[in-house]
Every structure is written in structure tokens, then in C-alpha cells.
Amino acid sequence: MVTDIRVKEPTLESLCRGKKAYEPPRYMTINTAIEQLLEIVQDREESAYTEDTECVGLARLGSEDQMIVAGTMKQLQLIDFGAPLHCLVIAGNTHPVEEEMLDFYRCRT
């Protein structure tokens, strides 16, 4: 899941007046993505994921201050991933080699 990125969205006023004016860029955080996903499952009897589902949170990949953390949705919600861009991966069935990498990045809380 790539978190929501809103760049160059016209303002409501600019739409009404036909001028080109844009909202400041907004980026969804991993924490917001998890919050919204868990809100959705509260309304359903069955779900593909819960707060105990294993995920990986990635922030600023490729930069010197990149951050990669594996853990449950509940654990990742408590982590400050800092500045954007963020990405959330919901893990499915994993291979033992993938499990090793998840353990390497596992949240220690």
C-alpha cells in the first residue's frame, strides 16, 4: 500500500474562480494509514487483517535517514516515522528467508 500523496491539488476557491492556485502538498503517514485501515475493519464481521497483522513500515527509502520497521499494525501505530514519504506493506504468508529479514527489522517494543 502506498500512502496517499496529494500534490498540486487546486484549492476550492481556484476551482470556483478559474484561477490556478494549489493546496500545499500533503502526505499520508503510516500511522494514519493504519488508523484508517483499522477503522474499516471495525465495521465488518470478517476482515483480511487485524491490529495483530504483520506489516512493514518504510519511510524515506533510499535516503541516508531511511527507516524500516517490521511489526504488528498495533506496534507500528506507536512509532514516529518522521518526514514523508511513507509506505506500508501488509505481509501475507512469508517464506523463511522473508521471516529472517522481518526479524532483522522487527520492532523491539
Side-chain angles (χ1 to χ4, degrees):
M1 167 182 194
V2 175
T3 54
D4 192 18
I5 301 171
R6 295 178 184 244
V7 181
K8 265 196 139 184
E9 275 198 12
T11 64
L12 182 59
E13 182 181 344
S14 73
L15 290 173
C16 294
R17 295 185 180 191
K19 294 181 180 179
K20 286 190 177 185
Y22 300 100
E23 297 280 348
R26 294 183 298 173
Y27 307 95
M28 182 182 285
T29 65
I30 291 166
N31 311 77
T32 302
I34 292 171
E35 181 182 315
Q36 289 182 5
L37 288 168
L38 291 176
E39 280 180 24
I40 292 167
V41 298
Q42 286 178 355
D43 298 336
R44 298 181 179 201
E45 291 180 21
E46 282 188 43
S47 177
Y49 54 87
T50 68
E51 65 180 13
D52 296 320
T53 299
E54 288 291 321
C55 295
V56 181
L58 306 108
R60 297 169 308 287
L61 274 184
S63 67
E64 289 183 18
D65 67 337
Q66 75 178 14
M67 187 173 186
I68 303 172
V69 182
T72 64
M73 284 187 169
K74 188 175 185 177
Q75 291 172 322
L76 295 184
Q77 266 189 311
L78 303 175
I79 294 173
D80 179 6
F81 284 91
L85 293 169
H86 292 184
C87 182
L88 175 67
V89 177
I90 300 173
N93 296 330
T94 53
H95 184 274
V97 174
E98 293 170 318
E99 281 297 324
E100 283 183 41
M101 287 310 295
L102 289 174
D103 285 341
F104 181 79
Y105 291 108
R106 181 107 23 229
C107 176
R108 304 292 176 218
T109 60

